[in-house]
Amino acid sequence: MHVAHLSLADFRCYARVEVPLDPGVTAFTGPNGQGKTNLVEAVGYLATLGSHRVAGDAPLVRLGAERAVVRGLVVRDERQTLIELELNPGRANRARINRSDNVRPRDVLGLLRTVLFAPEDLALVKGDPGERRRFLDELLTLRAPRLAGVRQDYERVLKQRNALLKSAAQARRGAGRGMDLSTLDVWDDHLARAGAELLAQRLDLVAALQPLVARAYEELAPSGGGTVLEYRSSMGEGVPLSGGREALYAALTAALGAARKQELERGLTLVGPHRDELGLRLGDLPAKGYASHGECWSYALALRLASYDLLRADEFGGPEGPSNTGGGGLAGGPVLILDDVFAELDARRRERLAERVATGEQVLVTAAVPEDVPEALRGARYSVQDGEVTRV
Ligand SMILES: Nc1ncnc2c1ncn2[C@@H]1O[C@H](COP(=O)(O)OP(=O)(O)OP(=O)(O)O)[C@@H](O)[C@H]1O
Ligand SMILES: [Mg+2]
């Protein structure tokens, strides 16, 4: 799929901008702070209803404006879909699909799929476990939008259960005696059910990503140590993570039982997917705390490229994945966005990355220095300056 036209009104630094886009590679270049990332951020927003840079929508609306509009014409298998999103910070956002406003914003999910790599992704490797959990969960929902519901269920149950644990902890401290905990058993069951579903999905995803991340990293950094993804459950080392949903449900139920005393003391749910970690190893060492800056960068990029490969393989349905799509040509798959990636890579890594992604149906790249964009990614070029986007 690709975006054939992007149109912004009062989005970030743009009062209005119209950007016609072709399949293949498009590079946006121009000095710092001119609005390159803002453009690709808008494309990412059409796909995910969120920004890779900020949690809320308020910073996306141009200073002084009341609302922003992001419009994208998406072409998939020669079918066109016009997605329009109106961002109203503090109020509900609105969506239109093919000019029909009888839709909710989340109906837009799945119409456009993007994989975006940006400097912020360094946090995937160096940041807190929450960053890696979010990476997994976002990829899950990108692959199967229905899993957004599973995540929501889990979050809701977790919130309720935490509230109950908190008041139980307060009651214990205050009156010196417990409160009725029979409802906690019910919440344990809900949590274990929803948690087992989410956990099973994450484990499948990690297994699917494992060889793709290893391959992507190897291609970027052939002499580097191998990458290993290790899903570490908050249930503890000894608990097997195999056997499917029912086994995971039983394991979570048992783990919640074992943790109850401690949970009542702390007033917090200590077991479940919200406390799990995706360990990233490079060779014999964890990447976090050990890997060099360049290695962390390559690792983060490998995670995104692996996501891209996986989504592309989904689309073609073949177990061989992207190699099955044949060499060259515009091979479909999600839109790949590389924000400011080349400046950080040495010449050889740049070339390797360029060769690897050059056959994507649409690849959008940004760079402050045009010379940083490798020869293999020769495509359309836009210069971005003072909020003007001009084809060069
Ligand atoms: N809500 C907003 N309203 C007005 N201007 C904004 C808003 N949000 C961001 N900007 C401005 O947009 C400008 C361009 O940001 P952007 O991140 O797209 O730059 P860039 O071209 O990617 O730069 P770099 O090469 O440094 O990455 C910034 O100067 C910023 O101040
Ligand atoms: Mg930028």
Side-chain angles (χ1 to χ4, degrees):
M1 62 175 68
H2 66 272
V3 179
H5 194 95
L6 177 71
S7 156
L8 306 177
D10 291 330
F11 183 89
R12 291 283 199 186
C13 62
Y14 294 103
R16 276 209 83 91
V17 70
E18 303 289 333
V19 189
L21 293 164
D22 291 324
V25 180
T26 298
F28 299 98
T29 61
N32 295 139
Q34 301 297 308
K36 304 180 295 294
T37 300
N38 293 347
L39 289 175
V40 293
E41 183 179 41
V43 176
Y45 194 96
L46 285 169
T48 62
L49 302 180
S51 154
H52 68 286
R53 295 198 280 192
V54 285
D57 287 342
L60 306 180
V61 176
R62 193 168 68 94
L63 204 65
E66 214 170 294
R67 65 178 72 87
V69 177
V70 182
R71 241 182 235 111
L73 184 63
V74 176
V75 180
R76 180 180 197 170
D77 302 329
E78 296 175 13
R79 282 223 330 266
Q80 296 195 342
T81 310
L82 180 65
I83 306 173
E84 296 172 273
L85 293 169
E86 188 183 276
L87 285 59
N88 300 305
R91 286 177 300 128
N93 289 347
R94 298 203 314 188
R96 295 209 299 171
I97 299 173
N98 290 330
R99 310 245 177 238
S100 156
D101 46 17
N102 197 14
V103 294
R104 296 159 303 178
R106 66 177 170 162
D107 295 327
V108 164
L109 294 173
L111 297 177
L112 171 66
R113 297 200 294 177
T114 59
V115 171
L116 191 156
F117 178 79
E120 285 77 6
D121 284 328
L122 212 47
L124 286 180
V125 182
K126 297 192 179 194
D128 294 336
E131 301 279 351
R132 290 175 287 283
R133 287 193 296 265
R134 190 153 56 99
F135 164 74
L136 291 177
D137 292 347
E138 282 178 359
L139 185 53
L140 281 177
T141 23
L142 211 53
R143 290 184 82 193
R146 80 164 182 92
L147 294 180
V150 173
R151 279 171 71 186
Q152 269 168 13
D153 282 350
Y154 184 77
E155 292 299 326
R156 205 187 54 236
V157 172
L158 179 65
K159 224 167 130 184
Q160 303 266 22
R161 190 173 183 276
N162 276 341
L164 189 65
L165 284 170
K166 199 171 164 193
S167 42
Q170 278 163 356
R172 275 160 71 114
R173 277 197 291 272
R177 61 193 153 77
M179 57 183 249
D180 176 21
L181 290 175
S182 53
T183 47
L184 192 55
D185 291 334
V186 179
W187 286 114
D188 281 13
D189 192 62
H190 287 326
L191 193 83
R193 274 275 163 234
E197 170 74 21
L198 184 57
L199 183 52
Q201 295 287 349
R202 282 194 195 162
L203 291 168
D204 284 350
L205 179 62
V206 171
L209 279 174
Q210 185 80 263
L212 300 176
V213 175
R215 188 178 67 184
Y217 191 89
E218 165 75 25
E219 283 170 10
L220 287 168
S223 54
T227 63
V228 179
L229 312 185
E230 287 170 324
Y231 193 90
R232 287 201 286 274
S233 159
S234 50
M235 294 188 285
E237 298 260 319
V239 180
L241 296 176
S242 50
R245 274 170 199 57
E246 282 311 309
L248 293 171
Y249 166 71
L252 276 167
T253 306
L256 286 168
R260 180 170 285 196
K261 189 162 166 285
Q262 219 192 339
E263 289 190 332
L264 282 170
E265 276 160 18
R266 302 214 10 216
L268 201 66
T269 301
L270 299 171
V271 176
H274 66 290
R275 304 274 289 198
D276 293 354
E277 162 71 304
L278 176 68
L280 304 177
R281 235 177 47 209
L282 190 59
D284 294 327
L285 293 168
K288 185 177 172 172
Y290 290 89
S292 77
H293 177 75
E295 286 171 335
C296 289
W297 188 267
S298 298
Y299 213 131
L301 182 53
L303 288 169
R304 291 297 181 200
L305 290 173
S307 311
Y308 179 69
D309 291 344
L310 196 62
L311 290 167
R312 206 153 116 154
D314 285 350
E315 206 161 300
F316 290 97
E320 296 88 32
S323 57
N324 196 28
T325 61
L330 303 174
V335 176
L336 181 64
I337 299 171
L338 301 172
D339 182 26
D340 247 342
V341 52
F342 296 108
E344 289 275 346
L345 298 172
D346 59 35
R348 221 183 53 187
R349 282 178 199 195
R350 262 183 221 177
E351 291 310 323
R352 284 174 177 278
L353 174 62
E355 280 165 30
R356 187 182 206 289
V357 304
T359 59
E361 179 170 330
Q362 189 169 50
V363 184
L364 307 176
V365 308
T366 75
V369 183
E371 295 73 46
D372 280 352
V373 182
E375 211 33 42
L377 293 184
R378 180 154 287 290
R381 297 267 166 129
Y382 284 93
S383 127
V384 181
Q385 193 131 21
D386 302 324
E388 300 267 324
V389 183
T390 5
R391 192 147 184 166
V392 289

